Amino acid sequence: MDMEVGQVLHMNGGVGETSYANNSLVQQKVITMTKPITEDAITKLYCSSYPVAIAIADLGCSSGPNTLFVVSELIKAVDSLRRKMSRKSPEYQVFLNDLPGNDFNTIFRSLSVFQNKLSKQLGPDSGPCFFTGVPGSFYGRLFKKNSLHFVHSSYSLQWLSQVPKGLENNKGNIYMASTSPPDVLKAYYEQFQKDFSLFLKCRSEELVDGGRMVLTVLGRRNDDPSSKEGCYIWELLATALNDMVLEGTIEKEKLNSFNIPQYTPSPVEVKYEVSKEGSFSIDRLKVTEVNWNAYQNETDLSDAFKDGGYNVAKCMRAVAEPLIVSHFGEAIVDQVFQRYREIIADRMSKERTEFINVIVSLIKA
């Protein structure tokens, strides 16, 4: 499958039932869990040089409530610091980056409300905040040299720049799986190495000396790349697709040529690439987990949200639907996700299902 990932990969746009904007609570929980690390990094950055202007880039910003959530937290952290120190407020330049297919319109439409709210929270003596949308792949240069102070990215870097070459033996699977042969796992890992190392190189050119980066990647604790931790959610989608092959709804060849352009690295693999590329030192490296069903511990839920399989399938649909539509066509989508929902609900009732997050805080050396 030589699909152009840069053209096809985007979260479902708009604000409707299956939109990413309405199905990204897991991602929001992860951002909240990472908050102490991002705040620590921006605090150290600000106190090291007291810049009069701070340029922040959010890479893989997507659209919906999370897009501006991180940025506002970072700006509030700097603002409370500079008040404590009785310093004049810096100006803020915020770059929101994602692939060209991202729903930037929804973001731009929400900006004026967001800016008004932020300036009310910060008060009249806070510096202005300018926003720029930057469409393009972060596996390449996006900004001019030494122009950024802080880079944030959450749940984006597990996406690869392309489906790895050499996955012909991965039949019946749509990602790395327990039944994938070793050459498939190797192809995935090598693509990750190439992409992540290029990402680090590009960012090191764009960040100022001492600039900081906090990256949260969907990953795994386990050394085995085909372990359930990183692959299970896709294995269950493959089960749904394989069932449809057996019934003749999907052609076998079509399924065999479909692979997800993703890699869920372990902390060891992240650390190895950072030290090998050499532009950054690691300040903090942490692994956390979040339940597949983001609503799991919430109280007072309406009945709609008590169905865990439904919540997780919707969350995955917001992410995976564009990939599935571009490969299999529109007609089967509802059926795929209906089956997927049943399979997920069954698994969640029997075992602990969690996403593993690898969080790394980096300083440009």
Side-chain angles (χ1 to χ4, degrees):
M1 173 181 65
D2 253 9
M3 82 178 170
E4 253 312 305
V5 172
Q7 304 302 316
V8 175
L9 180 65
H10 58 85
M11 307 300 118
N12 274 350
V15 287
E17 165 80 6
T18 60
S19 69
Y20 180 81
N22 284 332
N23 294 286
S24 46
L25 187 65
V26 166
Q27 291 86 340
Q28 189 189 323
K29 285 204 163 172
V30 172
I31 289 168
T32 307
M33 284 159 74
T34 313
K35 191 175 158 185
I37 296 177
T38 38
E39 289 196 349
D40 176 59
I42 196 104
T43 299
K44 288 173 177 164
L45 171 94
Y46 181 68
C47 294
S48 67
S49 61
Y50 305 113
V52 292
I54 297 180
I56 299 170
D58 192 6
L59 306 182
C61 64
S62 193
S63 64
N66 299 341
T67 303
L68 301 165
F69 176 56
V70 179
V71 171
S72 63
E73 294 300 319
L74 289 169
I75 291 172
K76 283 180 205 165
V78 172
D79 195 66
S80 94
L81 272 172
R82 65 101 193 162
R83 281 178 196 281
K84 279 184 198 138
M85 299 169 174
S86 312
R87 299 187 80 94
K88 190 169 177 290
S89 171
E91 295 197 338
Y92 302 96
Q93 170 75 59
V94 176
F95 297 103
L96 300 171
N97 153 263
D98 212 314
L99 290 168
N102 184 51
D103 184 2
F104 283 102
N105 286 339
T106 295
I107 301 177
F108 295 153
R109 279 198 287 270
S110 66
L111 272 179
S112 62
V113 172
F114 171 78
Q115 281 175 298
N116 290 337
K117 190 174 147 193
L118 190 65
S119 59
K120 275 202 188 83
Q121 284 172 331
L122 298 180
D125 61 339
S126 177
C129 185
F130 306 106
F131 284 88
T132 307
V134 182
S137 167
F138 49 47
Y139 295 123
R141 284 283 303 276
L142 290 163
F143 308 98
K144 57 183 200 279
K145 266 189 187 309
N146 305 324
S147 61
L148 300 177
H149 296 88
F150 196 92
V151 169
H152 170 268
S153 180
S154 186
Y155 266 38
S156 300
L157 272 160
Q158 67 269 14
W159 293 106
L160 299 169
S161 65
Q162 61 179 64
V163 172
K165 299 272 185 277
L167 302 183
E168 293 74 24
N169 297 338
N170 205 24
K171 295 186 170 43
N173 298 318
I174 61 170
Y175 182 49
M176 296 183 294
S178 45
T179 55
S180 297
D183 63 338
V184 167
L185 304 183
K186 185 167 179 267
Y188 266 107
Y189 179 50
E190 286 174 354
Q191 187 64 49
F192 161 75
Q193 288 187 293
K194 203 169 108 189
D195 283 347
F196 190 47
S197 147
L198 178 59
F199 175 88
L200 293 169
K201 181 177 176 292
C202 293
R203 299 301 80 80
S204 76
E205 290 172 24
E206 295 163 352
L207 277 156
V208 299
D209 287 341
R212 297 212 170 221
M213 203 154 57
V214 176
L215 313 173
T216 301
V217 189
L218 187 60
R220 62 179 204 278
R221 290 178 195 277
N222 203 303
D223 284 340
D224 172 10
S226 65
S227 74
K228 267 186 167 183
E229 286 182 333
C231 306
Y232 199 37
I233 195 108
W234 296 115
E235 280 191 38
L236 300 185
L237 182 56
T239 304
L241 293 166
N242 275 301
D243 287 349
M244 291 170 76
V245 168
L246 290 175
E247 287 170 11
T249 324
I250 292 177
E251 290 165 39
K252 193 171 187 173
E253 288 63 45
K254 207 78 177 136
L255 176 59
N256 286 340
S257 63
F258 181 64
N259 289 286
I260 298 288
Q262 200 181 59
Y263 187 82
T264 39
S266 69
V268 174
E269 289 169 344
V270 168
K271 200 172 175 175
Y272 176 68
E273 289 311 313
V274 171
S275 67
K276 197 172 70 173
E277 194 277 330
S279 309
F280 292 91
S281 63
I282 294 181
D283 188 29
R284 294 174 73 176
L285 181 63
K286 191 179 176 197
V287 181
T288 61
E289 61 280 314
V290 59
N291 194 283
W292 278 9
N293 180 12
Y295 297 93
Q296 185 209 17
N297 298 322
E298 306 283 316
T299 46
D300 306 328
L301 289 177
S302 69
D303 287 342
F305 290 117
K306 290 195 177 122
D307 179 349
Y310 176 67
N311 297 334
V312 180
K314 263 178 60 170
C315 168
M316 289 300 287
R317 179 171 183 161
V319 172
E321 182 169 355
L323 297 174
I324 286 179
V325 169
S326 87
H327 190 79
F328 297 101
E330 193 101 20
I332 63 153
V333 167
D334 286 338
Q335 199 188 338
V336 170
F337 285 101
Q338 178 54 40
R339 284 165 179 266
Y340 189 34
R341 168 187 174 178
E342 287 159 16
I343 294 168
I344 288 174
D346 173 60
R347 295 298 159 157
M348 285 170 64
S349 67
K350 294 175 179 151
E351 50 194 301
R352 269 182 70 156
T353 47
E354 292 175 326
F355 292 119
I356 306 293
N357 317 303
V358 177
I359 303 157
V360 62
S361 178
L362 302 164
I363 307 163
K364 181 175 162 183

PDB file of all heavy atoms in Angstrom, residues 65-78:
ATOM      1  N   PRO A  65     -10.743  20.671  21.234  1.00  0.00           N
ATOM      2  CA  PRO A  65     -10.416  21.362  22.480  1.00  0.00           C
ATOM      3  C   PRO A  65      -8.958  21.233  22.911  1.00  0.00           C
ATOM      4  O   PRO A  65      -8.413  22.107  23.557  1.00  0.00           O
ATOM      5  CB  PRO A  65     -11.343  20.703  23.511  1.00  0.00           C
ATOM      6  CG  PRO A  65     -11.800  19.419  22.900  1.00  0.00           C
ATOM      7  CD  PRO A  65     -11.775  19.630  21.423  1.00  0.00           C
ATOM      8  N   ASN A  66      -8.307  20.108  22.533  1.00  0.00           N
ATOM      9  CA  ASN A  66      -6.929  19.908  23.013  1.00  0.00           C
ATOM     10  C   ASN A  66      -5.933  20.837  22.338  1.00  0.00           C
ATOM     11  O   ASN A  66      -4.870  21.115  22.874  1.00  0.00           O
ATOM     12  CB  ASN A  66      -6.477  18.464  22.758  1.00  0.00           C
ATOM     13  CG  ASN A  66      -7.346  17.455  23.481  1.00  0.00           C
ATOM     14  OD1 ASN A  66      -8.046  17.815  24.418  1.00  0.00           O
ATOM     15  ND2 ASN A  66      -7.330  16.217  23.055  1.00  0.00           N
ATOM     16  N   THR A  67      -6.264  21.298  21.139  1.00  0.00           N
ATOM     17  CA  THR A  67      -5.323  22.083  20.347  1.00  0.00           C
ATOM     18  C   THR A  67      -4.814  23.289  21.123  1.00  0.00           C
ATOM     19  O   THR A  67      -3.630  23.570  21.147  1.00  0.00           O
ATOM     20  CB  THR A  67      -6.010  22.563  19.048  1.00  0.00           C
ATOM     21  OG1 THR A  67      -6.474  21.416  18.358  1.00  0.00           O
ATOM     22  CG2 THR A  67      -5.059  23.327  18.162  1.00  0.00           C
ATOM     23  N   LEU A  68      -5.727  24.024  21.750  1.00  0.00           N
ATOM     24  CA  LEU A  68      -5.318  25.256  22.417  1.00  0.00           C
ATOM     25  C   LEU A  68      -5.125  25.072  23.918  1.00  0.00           C
ATOM     26  O   LEU A  68      -4.618  25.943  24.600  1.00  0.00           O
ATOM     27  CB  LEU A  68      -6.354  26.350  22.133  1.00  0.00           C
ATOM     28  CG  LEU A  68      -6.502  26.625  20.618  1.00  0.00           C
ATOM     29  CD1 LEU A  68      -7.756  27.420  20.334  1.00  0.00           C
ATOM     30  CD2 LEU A  68      -5.285  27.348  20.066  1.00  0.00           C
ATOM     31  N   PHE A  69      -5.500  23.888  24.406  1.00  0.00           N
ATOM     32  CA  PHE A  69      -5.399  23.592  25.835  1.00  0.00           C
ATOM     33  C   PHE A  69      -3.938  23.652  26.298  1.00  0.00           C
ATOM     34  O   PHE A  69      -3.598  24.321  27.261  1.00  0.00           O
ATOM     35  CB  PHE A  69      -6.018  22.205  26.074  1.00  0.00           C
ATOM     36  CG  PHE A  69      -5.910  21.686  27.483  1.00  0.00           C
ATOM     37  CD1 PHE A  69      -6.413  22.419  28.546  1.00  0.00           C
ATOM     38  CD2 PHE A  69      -5.328  20.448  27.753  1.00  0.00           C
ATOM     39  CE1 PHE A  69      -6.333  21.937  29.851  1.00  0.00           C
ATOM     40  CE2 PHE A  69      -5.240  19.954  29.046  1.00  0.00           C
ATOM     41  CZ  PHE A  69      -5.738  20.699  30.095  1.00  0.00           C
ATOM     42  N   VAL A  70      -3.056  22.987  25.568  1.00  0.00           N
ATOM     43  CA  VAL A  70      -1.638  22.938  25.936  1.00  0.00           C
ATOM     44  C   VAL A  70      -1.036  24.332  25.915  1.00  0.00           C
ATOM     45  O   VAL A  70      -0.344  24.753  26.845  1.00  0.00           O
ATOM     46  CB  VAL A  70      -0.841  22.088  24.914  1.00  0.00           C
ATOM     47  CG1 VAL A  70       0.629  22.055  25.262  1.00  0.00           C
ATOM     48  CG2 VAL A  70      -1.404  20.693  24.868  1.00  0.00           C
ATOM     49  N   VAL A  71      -1.308  25.042  24.819  1.00  0.00           N
ATOM     50  CA  VAL A  71      -0.737  26.366  24.637  1.00  0.00           C
ATOM     51  C   VAL A  71      -1.137  27.287  25.782  1.00  0.00           C
ATOM     52  O   VAL A  71      -0.313  28.002  26.354  1.00  0.00           O
ATOM     53  CB  VAL A  71      -1.232  26.953  23.286  1.00  0.00           C
ATOM     54  CG1 VAL A  71      -0.852  28.398  23.156  1.00  0.00           C
ATOM     55  CG2 VAL A  71      -0.655  26.127  22.144  1.00  0.00           C
ATOM     56  N   SER A  72      -2.426  27.257  26.158  1.00  0.00           N
ATOM     57  CA  SER A  72      -2.867  28.164  27.216  1.00  0.00           C
ATOM     58  C   SER A  72      -2.201  27.804  28.544  1.00  0.00           C
ATOM     59  O   SER A  72      -1.828  28.682  29.314  1.00  0.00           O
ATOM     60  CB  SER A  72      -4.394  28.176  27.347  1.00  0.00           C
ATOM     61  OG  SER A  72      -4.858  26.912  27.724  1.00  0.00           O
ATOM     62  N   GLU A  73      -1.996  26.501  28.788  1.00  0.00           N
ATOM     63  CA  GLU A  73      -1.320  26.086  30.028  1.00  0.00           C
ATOM     64  C   GLU A  73       0.126  26.605  30.060  1.00  0.00           C
ATOM     65  O   GLU A  73       0.621  27.050  31.089  1.00  0.00           O
ATOM     66  CB  GLU A  73      -1.316  24.557  30.158  1.00  0.00           C
ATOM     67  CG  GLU A  73      -2.697  23.935  30.350  1.00  0.00           C
ATOM     68  CD  GLU A  73      -3.418  24.406  31.600  1.00  0.00           C
ATOM     69  OE1 GLU A  73      -2.755  24.534  32.655  1.00  0.00           O
ATOM     70  OE2 GLU A  73      -4.626  24.681  31.535  1.00  0.00           O
ATOM     71  N   LEU A  74       0.801  26.528  28.919  1.00  0.00           N
ATOM     72  CA  LEU A  74       2.193  26.985  28.859  1.00  0.00           C
ATOM     73  C   LEU A  74       2.282  28.494  29.089  1.00  0.00           C
ATOM     74  O   LEU A  74       3.130  28.982  29.841  1.00  0.00           O
ATOM     75  CB  LEU A  74       2.807  26.631  27.493  1.00  0.00           C
ATOM     76  CG  LEU A  74       3.076  25.140  27.244  1.00  0.00           C
ATOM     77  CD1 LEU A  74       3.421  24.893  25.784  1.00  0.00           C
ATOM     78  CD2 LEU A  74       4.206  24.634  28.141  1.00  0.00           C
ATOM     79  N   ILE A  75       1.383  29.227  28.440  1.00  0.00           N
ATOM     80  CA  ILE A  75       1.402  30.688  28.567  1.00  0.00           C
ATOM     81  C   ILE A  75       1.071  31.101  30.010  1.00  0.00           C
ATOM     82  O   ILE A  75       1.706  31.992  30.577  1.00  0.00           O
ATOM     83  CB  ILE A  75       0.431  31.332  27.553  1.00  0.00           C
ATOM     84  CG1 ILE A  75       0.982  31.126  26.131  1.00  0.00           C
ATOM     85  CG2 ILE A  75       0.237  32.811  27.832  1.00  0.00           C
ATOM     86  CD1 ILE A  75       0.046  31.534  25.015  1.00  0.00           C
ATOM     87  N   LYS A  76       0.079  30.419  30.608  1.00  0.00           N
ATOM     88  CA  LYS A  76      -0.281  30.744  32.003  1.00  0.00           C
ATOM     89  C   LYS A  76       0.899  30.488  32.944  1.00  0.00           C
ATOM     90  O   LYS A  76       1.124  31.245  33.889  1.00  0.00           O
ATOM     91  CB  LYS A  76      -1.481  29.911  32.453  1.00  0.00           C
ATOM     92  CG  LYS A  76      -2.808  30.403  31.912  1.00  0.00           C
ATOM     93  CD  LYS A  76      -3.913  29.483  32.434  1.00  0.00           C
ATOM     94  CE  LYS A  76      -5.113  29.500  31.513  1.00  0.00           C
ATOM     95  NZ  LYS A  76      -6.025  28.382  31.797  1.00  0.00           N
ATOM     96  N   ALA A  77       1.643  29.405  32.680  1.00  0.00           N
ATOM     97  CA  ALA A  77       2.794  29.082  33.534  1.00  0.00           C
ATOM     98  C   ALA A  77       3.847  30.188  33.467  1.00  0.00           C
ATOM     99  O   ALA A  77       4.362  30.642  34.499  1.00  0.00           O
ATOM    100  CB  ALA A  77       3.407  27.754  33.105  1.00  0.00           C
ATOM    101  N   VAL A  78       4.138  30.671  32.263  1.00  0.00           N
ATOM    102  CA  VAL A  78       5.130  31.747  32.107  1.00  0.00           C
ATOM    103  C   VAL A  78       4.605  33.023  32.762  1.00  0.00           C
ATOM    104  O   VAL A  78       5.333  33.733  33.466  1.00  0.00           O
ATOM    105  CB  VAL A  78       5.436  32.012  30.612  1.00  0.00           C
ATOM    106  CG1 VAL A  78       6.309  33.248  30.451  1.00  0.00           C
ATOM    107  CG2 VAL A  78       6.108  30.798  29.992  1.00  0.00           C
TER     108      VAL A  78
END
